[in-house]
Amino acid sequence: EREISLLLFLRFLLLFPIQLSHALSHSFNQVVGIDAEEDILEVAKDMSEHGTITTDGDLTYTAEKKGDLSFRLADACCLPLDMGKFDCVVLSRILDKVPSPKAALGRFGGVMGLLKTGGVVVVVNSDEYKEEYAPKGAWLDTSKEGPELEGLGSDFSLVHSTSVSSVVDGKDGRKSFEVNTYNVRVYKRA
């Protein structure tokens, strides 16, 4: 049996990526969740230790881990060299929330890249950039047609592209809904 490892960025989806990291630990030999905020990592570690977490709104989420599941404090734009190599990297709603999306993507290819040859990077992005996170000149367009994504490098090729939508309850108890659309692109490293 071949060992398969996964690097998952936790930020900006709160409990969903934490639950996802637990679920994926059943299929991958190693899953590492990354976030730049201690509080997100504490929630992830607490769920990993106890199997459940209850939110302020009294919603209870459960997750069962299996295999090597860990969580690590790190900045997506400046990932440490000692992280190792991964078969799959999932960037979910990260690129429009970091100061340099190209720097975050650049860490996956090249000699010291975190993604193994033949590995895939899954990019889920809304392209809803805000200048509070990154200057306009740093923004990427993940919705455009074409195989390249600026920052990944020439050793990556697009293998799948689609859009997905999610519906979220309105804020402040109002009876309204918000629809969010995300571009999902899967790139394979040659």
Side-chain angles (χ1 to χ4, degrees):
E1 179 180 303
R2 183 173 160 242
E3 290 206 4
I4 302 175
S5 57
L6 171 75
L7 178 63
L8 178 69
F9 289 78
L10 300 178
R11 194 74 185 140
F12 300 106
L13 283 181
L14 300 177
L15 289 174
F16 172 72
I18 296 170
Q19 287 180 292
L20 179 62
S21 59
H22 284 77
L24 291 172
S25 74
H26 293 260
S27 299
F28 289 84
N29 298 83
Q30 176 192 26
V31 176
V32 179
I34 299 292
D35 199 280
E37 301 285 333
E38 284 276 355
D39 57 337
I40 300 292
L41 290 177
E42 288 307 313
V43 170
K45 290 174 183 176
D46 192 46
M47 182 178 267
S48 190
E49 183 178 326
H50 302 291
T52 64
I53 190 82
T54 303
T55 66
D56 292 336
D58 294 328
L59 293 173
T60 300
Y61 296 89
T62 61
E64 181 183 336
K65 76 173 185 171
K66 181 179 180 183
D68 184 6
L69 172 62
S70 62
F71 299 96
R72 186 164 175 180
L73 185 68
D75 181 339
C77 292
C78 187
L79 294 168
L81 294 174
D82 69 346
M83 297 230 20
K85 299 266 188 186
F86 295 88
D87 296 286
C88 181
V89 174
V90 178
L91 292 162
S92 184
R93 297 186 60 201
I94 296 295
L95 295 180
D96 54 358
K97 304 288 190 288
V98 296
S100 178
K102 290 178 196 172
L105 290 171
R107 192 60 185 86
F108 303 119
V111 176
M112 300 300 288
L114 291 172
L115 194 64
K116 293 177 184 177
T117 300
V120 296
V121 60
V122 180
V123 178
V124 180
N125 208 49
S126 66
D127 287 332
E128 293 179 8
Y129 290 93
K130 295 181 180 170
E131 288 189 87
E132 67 187 270
Y133 298 117
K136 282 186 180 182
W139 298 358
L140 301 176
D141 183 0
T142 59
S143 67
K144 70 179 181 178
E145 292 299 318
E148 70 287 332
L149 181 59
E150 238 180 317
L152 268 183
S154 61
D155 56 340
F156 286 86
S157 60
L158 180 67
V159 294
H160 184 74
S161 178
T162 191
S163 293
V164 295
S165 297
S166 67
V167 178
V168 181
D169 286 335
K171 297 176 182 152
D172 303 325
R174 295 179 294 173
K175 292 185 177 184
S176 63
F177 297 95
E178 181 180 320
V179 177
N180 298 310
T181 301
Y182 303 99
N183 304 307
V184 180
R185 298 184 130 215
V186 180
Y187 297 87
K188 185 172 184 175
R189 184 174 184 195

